[in-house]
Amino acid sequence: MKTIFVFLLMSYTCFSQVGIGTNTPSPNSLLEISSTDKVFVPPRMTNAQMLAISSPLIGSIVYNTTFNSIYIYNSLGWKNASDTDNSSLICKKNGGTLTVSNNTYYNFPLNHSHIQTGNPITYEILSNGKIRIKENGIYMIGAQLSVNNMPSGKKAYSIALFKNGQLLGLLNKNESEQTISDYWGTSGIMTFNLSINDEIDIKYLINHSTNLNLVFAAFSFVKIN
């Protein structure tokens, strides 16, 4: 019986640590790779192939050939290992015409061509003011809008967020009251818990019958958790 116990103990010791390139792996390592002239190469695949992996385990690692970076899977989805800041998307535009009419929401006139900062692993711009979320998390969303010829009198306005076609929240809602046609602007910011494949529409409403001269339009997403 003692001989059998010693054999089992030796078997456990042999398989509790695995060494590649070393005969003395650390007792604190399950797998230790040692080399001075060879490298460890994780699975290499495109971003589409990576996202198509069904139910990856937490801690999974791949080399994303689309973005030329190591990606690690955690509870919020795939994460670029080289990212040091919170994943963000910033779009802005100067000048142009802002379409308006009474009691009608329009998407912000911002798309791929207006990206200032963007992380395609987290965000996908589908069309003007429409963004698909590609990672679960908490997002801080802001928007700004200004024109140089807001008419005199009272004009109701708002900036709204829609999620999957349903109103999610109002970043701002108020009335503009001016004595003459002049510069005007508004902004707002809110935080929401969003999920993979949620589609967010950033919309504005200005109650006026004639299109306005756009000075500045912008929106931003920051993934904070």
Side-chain angles (χ1 to χ4, degrees), residues 46-198:
T46 66
N47 188 62
Q49 290 170 329
M50 182 185 77
L51 295 177
I53 296 174
S54 177
S55 302
L57 294 175
I58 299 295
S60 297
I61 299 174
V62 302
Y63 184 83
N64 188 311
T65 57
T66 303
F67 303 118
N68 295 317
S69 186
I70 291 286
Y71 277 76
I72 301 174
Y73 191 83
N74 62 25
S75 60
L76 299 177
W78 288 104
K79 177 72 174 177
N80 188 325
S82 63
D83 281 351
T84 56
D85 298 323
N86 294 331
S87 179
S88 62
L89 171 66
I90 299 174
C91 292
K92 68 177 183 178
K93 174 184 178 181
N94 297 318
T97 299
L98 193 66
T99 301
V100 298
S101 60
N102 289 327
N103 303 316
T104 303
Y105 275 107
Y106 295 92
N107 278 49
F108 266 57
L110 301 171
N111 52 49
H112 296 89
S113 62
H114 306 112
I115 295 176
Q116 304 295 306
T117 300
N119 184 342
I121 199 67
T122 308
Y123 311 96
E124 179 184 1
I125 297 182
L126 302 176
S127 58
N128 276 357
K130 182 182 285 291
I131 298 90
R132 176 180 288 135
I133 299 299
K134 300 171 74 174
E135 290 185 319
N136 296 329
I138 299 173
Y139 291 80
M140 184 168 59
I141 305 174
Q144 298 173 290
L145 193 65
S146 66
V147 300
N148 65 11
N149 63 334
M150 178 65 92
S152 60
K154 287 186 178 181
K155 304 294 178 183
Y157 67 84
S158 62
I159 297 178
L161 296 181
F162 289 76
K163 182 177 78 171
N164 303 323
Q166 301 296 318
L167 180 64
L168 179 62
L170 296 174
L171 302 187
N172 202 332
K173 181 180 181 181
N174 212 321
E175 285 187 338
S176 166
E177 185 171 5
Q178 303 189 169
T179 57
I180 61 172
S181 177
D182 204 350
Y183 281 85
W184 167 89
T186 186
S187 63
I189 190 168
M190 293 184 74
T191 301
F192 300 97
N193 194 341
L194 303 177
S195 302
I196 294 174
N197 291 325
D198 278 344

